[in-house]
DNA sequence: CGTCAATACGTGTATACACACTTTTCGACC
DNA sequence: GGTCGAAAAGTGTGTATACACGTATTGACG
């Protein structure tokens, strides 16, 4: 046994957090590979997709929908705004800002969705379709299990 | 229906990648909250933990063990080296560099492991102990399902 | 009308992550 | 011994992520 700092020997294989993070890294690379031709990362694709689904809305509301930190989203939209995929304008309130998809954003999203489909198909061909469904359910439970 | 860019309406709820990423964000926050008093992030804890387990080794080998990009690890060790938790020295080969835990790193790791345990317990109390075991297995399968 | 707590955002800082490209070094082969 | 490909690592760049803190605006209440 010897010089171990503590009982951490098995931490890496027992840690739920590290397990999920590692999986996230790997699956992100797979999806990003497929989305690369569109110039979007999977996170950016998700922002556009939510925007397409929910329509124009504020940063806070969008962040709540994605389940992401508000300040993270604020930074994430910058490259998308720069590339003209979405537009940020004033909201009804003097405090809020309204984000909406541009025509170009909609077009890019349409193209990207076919690439996303291929990534999804590749993953599910290997991991299993039923297993993938169960995976998503499990991930929802993980999120639900964490009290803010 | 109407103005959808495509069939992306359900993408956010069907995407395996986004599901895993969202879970990773949430669970990371939980573990980082617990580790905060030690000044370590869960990723840093993982580096120290692997190092404790495997002994001094090269950047490439450590990256392979953690299943992380080599360049990512190269950046990740910088704050740890700066804070004196690990030391980077020359390896047996003129190309390789040897990373090893310092006494201070070992001590910090020992303290951190008790905080990690609390995070692990909190999560498993909510998510379930058996479910957690299954979760880790599932995550391993996800990683295995992705061809490099 | 003035105060004040709550709301919605932005900024500074720091880490996490990885691709493309470059540099250094090693080893093998002629 | 010189050449050259492979291996190990570093650098540049850009996104992802979130906490602590600061700013501006709103709405309620006295």
């Amino acid at each position: 046994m010897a010089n171990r700092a503590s009982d951490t020997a098995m931490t890496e294989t027992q840690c739920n957090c590290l397990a999920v993070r590692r999986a996230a890294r790997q699956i992100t690379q797979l999806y990003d590979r497929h989305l690369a031709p569109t110039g979007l990362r999977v996170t950016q694709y998700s922002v556009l997709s939510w925007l397409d689904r929910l329509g124009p809305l504020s940063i806070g509301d969008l962040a709540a929908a994605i389940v992401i930190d508000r300040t993270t989203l604020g930074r994430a939209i910058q490259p998308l705004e720069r590339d003209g995929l979405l537009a940020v304008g004033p909201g009804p309130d003097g405090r809020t800002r309204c984000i909406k998809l541009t025509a170009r954003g909609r077009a890019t999203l349409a193209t990207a969705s076919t690439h996303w489909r291929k990534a999804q198909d590749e993953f599910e061909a290997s991991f299993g379709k039923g297993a993938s469904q169960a995976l998503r359910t499990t991930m929802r439970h993980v999120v639900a299990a964490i009290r803010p």
Side-chain angles (χ1 to χ4, degrees), chain A residues 17-37:
Chain A
C17 183
L18 299 179
V20 177
R21 286 180 68 92
R22 182 161 48 237
R25 284 196 301 270
Q26 295 299 105
I27 199 170
T28 296
Q29 288 182 53
L30 193 161
Y31 279 72
D32 276 352
R33 268 201 300 272
H34 280 277
L35 285 175

Side-chain angles (χ1 to χ4, degrees), chain A residues 48-104:
Chain A
L48 298 184
S49 182
W50 273 106
L51 222 43
D52 187 45
R53 182 148 110 97
L54 300 179
L57 73 178
S58 74
I59 290 185
D61 289 346
L62 183 53
I66 304 181
V67 188
I68 202 175
D69 190 88
R70 177 188 58 76
T71 64
T72 298
L73 180 60
R75 298 260 152 84
I77 61 176
Q78 289 174 0
L80 296 171
E81 186 184 14
R82 178 200 60 200
D83 297 341
L85 302 179
L86 54 78
V88 183
D93 196 312
R95 297 168 290 185
T96 58
R97 300 177 65 185
C98 180
I99 311 176
K100 60 169 189 271
L101 222 50
T102 63
R104 186 165 175 207

